[in-house]
Amino acid sequence: MQSLWNDRDAASCHNDSLALRAYTSRLLGQEPSLVLHGGGNTSVKASLKDLFGESVPVLLVKGSGWDLATITEAGFAPVRLDVLQRMAELPTLTDTDMVKAQRAAMLDPGAPTPSVEAILHAIIPFAWVDHTHADAVVTVTNTPDGERRAREIYGDRVLIVPYVMPGFILAREVYEMTRQTDWRSIDGLVLLNHGVFTFGDDARSSYEKMITLVGKAEEYLSANARKKGDAKPRAVKPGAMAQLAWLRKAVSAARGSAMVARLDQGGEALEFASLPAVADLASRGPLTPDHVIRTKPRGMFVGPDATVSVQEYRARYEEYFARHRTPGLSQLDPAPRWAVLPGAGTATFGATAAEADIAADIIRHTRRAIQAAEALGGWKPLGEAELFEVEYWELEQAKLKKSGGRPAFQGKIAVVTGAASGIGKAVAEALHSAGASVLGLDINPAIETLFTKPGLAGQACDVTDQAAVAGAVEKAVGCFGGLDLLVSNAGLFTPSAFLADLDEATWQNSLDLNLSSHRYLLQAATPYLKLGIEPAVLIIGSKNVPAPGPGAGAYSIAKAGLTQLARVAALELAGDGIRVNVMHPHAVFDTGAWTPEVLEQRARSYGVSVEEYKAKNLLKAEVTSADVAALALAMLGAPFAKTTGAQVPIDGGNDRVI
């Protein structure tokens, strides 16, 4: 562990306490082995002017929901210091009342809610306080004799605090323990099974004390926790994607809604999954208690039948809840958030790709901690009673009650072809905005950098290459855990030519892209759609199917064959609950094919303006890619849940179609 302090960066804060506080907080936050996804908190004591111009001592403490990796000055809550210090003297206080009192003591009611550790920060008699959940320190204390080992590492330079519930109870415990403590005789607090506090008179000393204390724990682990070498990583076994899709379907059923799964098949994951005692190790508990919100109290070992494994996990979770429940508590969903797949690695689950990724980060650190602790003397995290307290913490319950409804496609997984532009791009982005995780395919290599949001990815793929299509579908399953929605959109409007003059290359190109490629996609996707959640396929056809025109034979005939393909698929896949419907768009002018020059030419040929030409339909309404995407979401979702084999035009009304 090395200090990242930089004199030039620190000087740019111009001795402003809040700016320096944000700076050193980010130094902590950019090191994942110190804090993960919102973990840890920091503070600085200062004086601010109130409404009357009077100087008020305050604690500027990290706000709830802010991440140390990215925090700015706006992420700190100014709380009256004297109020926080008096709160520590109270014999009892519920965390709900604590949060209310802290908010009432804020100088700025628009600032974020103060950290639940604000009282503890307030009673530490130094201006600067840093708190992390350092992997190395927690790993050492998550062993049978963790307290002894912590004393061996630090001697008398830290105060060892037994585990108690975070929040007021922890603040009160430290308050009682330190009544006679000479704070300048210690460098920090080690909270067993929880983390570390350091403090100082200036930003640098508090930060670098943290680096020093964590570094000592890392050195101790390096010297004393060498791997035993009993894990024998194996090659990824065949059929891992199918196993993942089965597992994701079973986990989604346990939660009662669709979930995304992330599969880690890296060397560390395979090594961990190959440990002889991995089923037991994964079930003992998380690295730190705050992780239980993301990972549940235990992981799941997946046996030969994924569905049975999930059912057994669910039953054990329900028993766990029954053992510890108190009046007024409602059971959270019993679905696992991470699992060990023997021979395939580890998987994590979330309502979104971002949630699953957060769990994956946590499990990556947990795997390393488990193996280090086992080498040190045994992995012994907190017991289930303590974990239950955190999982069913009144503050977490309050957050759940405030949470809004789910987006319509949350947890769903989609593949969209022709996604680099036009209709495909609009559909991919609309699905993602509605909660789905989406892999967009396109022959244009720009697709791979087009999408930058979590859960929205692009893959270059020639959909006329059957092997490439199969690989792309497997990639979608590997990325997100399965497949629920398929939008087969890739196509090409071929050059105009009468049948008598049609060349073989144009004919074959149209058949390859406008017809055969869709069959390849359906064939590759069907095994995974059968394991999907409310699976649906949408084929993008054309107005030329019901209303062909002269000179467009290659295009119209291929699209007619595509529509027939969809109708047959609807008949064949209905027994598996897979809906297959067709949309026939026409005159969607905000796509790449309709350049300003082409629009001008076509408008002139009809003797109208461009705007009149764009609304040249019965409703006199322009049809856009966004309009097509909106209909696509309806046809993939609940409004069309009882419909299959349908063909729906979206063209503003075409007299020839009607």
Side-chain angles (χ1 to χ4, degrees):
M1 184 65 63
Q2 300 294 319
S3 171
L4 301 177
W5 178 275
N6 181 284
D7 286 333
R8 182 182 301 172
D9 292 340
S12 70
C13 297
H14 305 294
N15 290 319
D16 180 276
S17 293
L18 186 54
L20 268 172
R21 179 66 283 177
Y23 166 63
T24 55
S25 298
R26 290 192 296 271
L27 295 185
L28 295 173
Q30 65 186 272
E31 176 48 69
S33 64
L34 291 176
V35 291
L36 278 176
H37 300 291
N41 37 71
T42 56
S43 69
V44 62
K45 299 175 180 72
S47 293
L48 298 180
K49 299 288 186 181
D50 66 8
L51 178 65
F52 307 104
E54 298 176 355
S55 184
V56 179
V58 297
L59 180 79
L60 291 159
V61 64
K62 186 199 122 174
S64 177
W66 282 77
D67 194 315
L68 289 182
T70 56
I71 196 167
T72 64
E73 289 92 327
F76 291 87
V79 191
R80 292 178 182 272
L81 187 58
D82 61 337
V83 174
L84 291 171
Q85 291 170 337
R86 288 188 64 189
M87 287 169 69
E89 300 172 4
L90 296 172
T92 60
L93 183 67
T94 69
D95 284 319
T96 298
D97 288 340
M98 176 190 73
V99 170
K100 289 179 181 177
Q102 288 180 172
R103 283 207 61 84
M106 290 169 58
L107 258 63
D108 177 6
T113 298
S115 164
V116 296
E117 307 291 16
I119 298 175
L120 178 49
H121 283 256
I123 63 174
I124 295 175
F126 288 87
W128 301 81
V129 180
D130 295 63
H131 170 45
T132 73
H133 301 152
D135 288 0
V137 177
V138 180
T139 298
V140 169
T141 64
N142 278 353
T143 58
D145 54 352
E147 182 175 351
R148 177 191 65 78
R149 292 182 182 278
R151 295 189 188 283
E152 184 180 336
I153 295 169
Y154 299 116
D156 296 329
R157 294 306 302 175
V158 302
L159 179 67
I160 306 294
V161 182
Y163 176 80
V164 294
M165 185 74 174
F168 177 77
I169 298 174
L170 175 59
R172 180 68 187 177
E173 177 76 10
V174 174
Y175 175 77
E176 292 292 344
M177 288 180 66
T178 58
R179 284 179 180 272
Q180 306 301 320
T181 298
D182 176 5
W183 282 88
R184 293 199 174 270
S185 70
I186 60 175
D187 297 320
L189 310 176
V190 168
L191 314 179
L192 297 180
N193 312 104
H194 180 162
V196 193
F197 272 85
T198 56
F199 28 81
D201 293 321
D202 59 82
R204 183 171 187 171
S205 66
S206 183
Y207 165 70
E208 292 193 335
K209 281 181 184 177
M210 178 66 70
I211 300 306
T212 299
L213 292 185
V214 176
K216 286 179 179 293
E218 289 180 332
E219 291 167 4
Y220 184 86
L221 288 173
S222 179
N224 297 279
R226 301 187 185 281
K227 289 182 180 179
K228 297 178 181 178
D230 55 359
K232 297 178 181 178
R234 296 170 293 191
V236 177
K237 65 182 182 182
M241 294 303 102
Q243 183 187 17
L244 179 64
W246 269 109
L247 178 59
R248 178 250 177 182
K249 183 178 179 71
V251 171
S252 297
R255 182 164 181 170
S257 58
M259 296 188 77
V260 173
R262 292 290 212 189
L263 180 62
D264 186 343
Q265 294 184 298
E268 287 186 354
L270 287 170
E271 178 183 0
F272 182 78
S274 301
L275 290 170
V278 68
D280 174 49
L281 294 172
S283 69
R284 291 187 196 171
L287 179 57
T288 69
D290 64 303
H291 290 170
V292 74
I293 306 300
R294 303 284 193 179
T295 66
K296 292 291 189 181
R298 52 186 295 269
M300 179 181 69
F301 182 81
V302 182
D305 188 319
T307 302
V308 171
S309 296
V310 174
Q311 290 171 344
E312 291 174 347
Y313 183 97
R314 176 174 185 160
R316 288 185 63 180
Y317 185 89
E318 290 170 347
E319 292 166 1
Y320 151 82
F321 178 77
R323 281 193 296 273
H324 302 288
R325 69 180 302 171
T326 56
L329 285 183
S330 298
Q331 182 186 294
L332 301 174
D333 78 83
R337 294 301 190 269
W338 75 283
V340 176
L341 288 75
T346 58
T348 53
F349 311 98
T352 63
E355 273 190 22
D357 285 342
I358 289 172
D361 283 344
I362 291 171
I363 297 310
R364 194 173 301 114
H365 286 251
T366 303
R367 291 192 314 246
R368 296 169 186 163
I370 288 174
Q371 292 184 265
E374 278 291 287
L376 196 62
W379 172 246
K380 189 182 179 182
L382 286 172
E384 67 172 33
E386 291 83 4
L387 295 176
F388 185 89
E389 276 191 306
V390 177
E391 187 178 11
Y392 285 86
W393 196 1
E394 59 184 291
L395 298 181
E396 292 297 331
Q397 292 278 296
K399 288 180 186 177
L400 290 172
K401 290 176 182 176
K402 292 179 182 178
S403 60
R406 290 168 54 91
F409 290 89
Q410 183 168 293
K412 294 290 189 73
I413 300 163
V415 167
V416 180
T417 64
S421 62
I423 290 172
K425 181 172 182 285
V427 172
E429 291 176 334
L431 279 168
H432 182 260
S433 295
S437 294
V438 183
L439 180 66
L441 307 181
D442 203 287
I443 196 169
N444 184 349
I447 187 72
E448 300 201 348
T449 56
L450 180 63
F451 303 125
T452 58
K453 297 178 181 178
L456 179 58
Q459 169 76 27
C461 178
D462 179 355
V463 292
T464 66
D465 180 336
Q466 191 167 11
V469 170
V473 170
E474 285 234 337
K475 176 170 180 177
V477 176
C479 279
F480 303 123
L483 182 60
D484 309 308
L485 309 172
L486 186 65
V487 181
S488 200
N489 163 71
L492 171 71
F493 194 84
T494 52
S496 180
F498 279 26
L499 293 175
D501 303 318
L502 186 61
D503 65 274
E504 185 62 24
T506 298
W507 172 260
Q508 195 59 52
N509 286 343
S510 183
L511 290 178
D512 288 345
L513 182 56
N514 294 325
L515 178 55
S516 295
S517 73
H518 299 262
R519 178 176 66 84
Y520 300 156
L521 186 62
L522 265 176
Q523 283 184 321
T526 294
Y528 297 110
L529 288 169
K530 289 180 178 180
L531 298 173
I533 313 298
E534 300 167 330
V537 177
L538 180 61
I539 303 290
I540 306 301
S542 169
K543 174 277 273 182
N544 282 35
V545 173
Y555 177 79
S556 301
I557 293 166
K559 284 288 188 177
L562 173 60
T563 301
Q564 195 74 341
L565 174 72
R567 295 174 68 196
V568 173
L571 293 169
E572 294 181 353
L573 299 179
D576 295 299
I578 303 170
R579 299 183 293 110
V580 184
N581 291 298
V582 181
M583 180 197 300
H584 292 313
H586 178 57
V588 183
F589 296 112
D590 59 341
T591 62
W594 292 94
T595 64
E597 293 77 18
V598 171
L599 275 171
E600 286 280 0
Q601 179 185 0
R602 295 298 294 272
R604 279 198 304 271
S605 70
Y606 280 91
V608 296
S609 68
V610 169
E611 292 308 311
E612 289 172 328
Y613 178 74
K614 289 165 74 173
K616 190 176 178 292
N617 52 56
L618 295 177
L619 294 176
K620 305 300 182 188
E622 180 182 349
V623 180
T624 67
S625 295
D627 297 325
V628 177
L631 179 57
L633 264 60
M635 295 181 73
L636 291 167
F640 279 71
K642 306 294 176 64
T643 301
T644 193
Q647 300 178 50
V648 181
I650 177 165
D651 53 17
N654 183 290
D655 55 352
R656 293 183 60 222
V657 171
I658 293 172

